Amino acid sequence: MKKSSLLEERVSILEKDREYRCSKCRDMTYIIDDGMAIPCECRAVREAEDILKHSGISEEFRNKTFDNFNYTYDTHTINAYRVATKYVKDFDSIESSSNNSIMFMGQVGSGKTHLSLAICNELMDRGVGVLYMGYRDVIVRVKQNIMDQVYYHKIMNRYKNARVLLIDDLFKGSVSSSDVNIMFELVNHRYFNNLPVIVSSEKGFEELIEIDEAIGSRLIEMSKGYGVEIKGKRLNYRIYG
């Protein structure tokens, strides 16, 4: 028997023994029909899995949904919930516009992160790629490696160019000039390229402007109509825009 025939026979045996997640397309995510590649039914599932895998959102955070959001914080929190759900509803029509972002600012314990993650989970379930950025962890890591240009540009480009970026706890703790410079580079890129951001922060809008007017003004403009500030013992709120 020729070597080529033996090889083909072995490949055939291996193919038969191999277990595929999808037997229809043999995990290629498309099916060849009359010389044309047709997307397999499993393709959407694989894409959804990839979105979740690269999101940086943990299983615990995946459990933060609109359905289990706690309204008992205060009646005013319901309004923040309404803005969040409206944003999700409007997303497809505003994504490519300059007004495509949302911010939850102010009071600790008012559900800002929960609502931010609920939005992310809804978008990912619809096939929209979202990347989670825990502000403190990322800013420390970037500063530690700022002299390594290859690493710096790699990590910054990841956050700059994500389809949707969630910045959680923006400017938490003390803020240095290098923190501001890094965040300006990131926000400025997304601002000029109409790339949506979802922001949660314990700072208020005025505090954000005081930290850096360029960053604050860009984020406020990007989230016009979807900027929620919650503050005070009764969690009073106001919407910018």
Side-chain angles (χ1 to χ4, degrees), residues 114-133:
H114 189 132
L115 286 174
S116 299
L117 288 165
I119 292 171
C120 291
N121 288 322
E122 286 277 341
L123 293 179
M124 287 193 295
D125 287 344
R126 281 163 38 180
V128 176
V130 178
L131 180 61
Y132 175 84
M133 176 183 171

Side-chain angles (χ1 to χ4, degrees), residues 54-220:
H54 294 104
S55 70
I57 294 178
S58 67
E59 189 61 36
E60 177 188 357
F61 281 0
R62 274 291 281 169
N63 293 327
K64 303 291 186 183
T65 67
F66 289 124
D67 288 340
N68 61 26
F69 180 68
N70 186 358
Y71 293 101
T72 61
Y73 293 117
D74 188 273
T75 54
H76 293 291
T77 313
I78 296 175
N79 292 286
Y81 170 90
R82 287 173 178 162
V83 174
T85 53
K86 183 179 186 300
Y87 177 79
V88 170
K89 182 180 178 182
D90 295 345
F91 183 81
D92 289 342
S93 62
I94 66 173
E95 181 181 2
S96 299
S97 73
S98 59
N99 174 213
N100 57 13
S101 303
I102 186 167
M103 299 173 70
F104 299 98
M105 312 294 287
Q107 190 72 27
V108 177
S110 59
K112 299 185 305 295
T113 293
H114 189 132
L115 286 174
S116 299
L117 288 165
I119 292 171
C120 291
N121 288 322
E122 286 277 341
L123 293 179
M124 287 193 295
D125 287 344
R126 281 163 38 180
V128 176
V130 178
L131 180 61
Y132 175 84
M133 176 183 171
Y135 168 77
R136 284 308 312 164
D137 290 341
V138 171
I139 208 76
V140 168
R141 194 162 70 249
V142 170
K143 288 194 293 185
Q144 286 174 341
N145 295 277
I146 201 164
M147 300 306 293
D148 183 341
Q149 289 298 300
V150 174
Y151 177 88
Y152 178 82
H153 289 299
K154 180 180 179 181
I155 193 170
M156 286 296 287
N157 285 338
R158 184 177 181 228
Y159 293 113
K160 281 182 179 180
N161 297 309
R163 182 173 175 182
V164 179
L165 178 66
L166 165 56
I167 306 173
D168 193 25
D169 271 336
L170 175 63
F171 291 138
K172 185 176 179 66
S174 59
V175 182
S176 68
S177 59
S178 58
D179 297 342
V180 170
N181 291 337
I182 290 167
M183 289 310 300
F184 175 77
E185 180 182 343
L186 174 58
V187 170
N188 194 52
H189 176 87
R190 298 191 68 85
Y191 172 79
F192 280 108
N193 288 278
N194 290 340
L195 293 170
V197 291
I198 301 167
V199 177
S200 75
S201 178
E202 294 175 4
K203 308 296 183 186
F205 286 107
E206 279 80 9
E207 290 177 281
L208 184 60
I209 292 291
E210 287 174 6
I211 290 171
D212 189 80
E213 186 174 356
I215 294 173
S217 62
R218 281 163 172 74
L219 288 175
I220 289 171

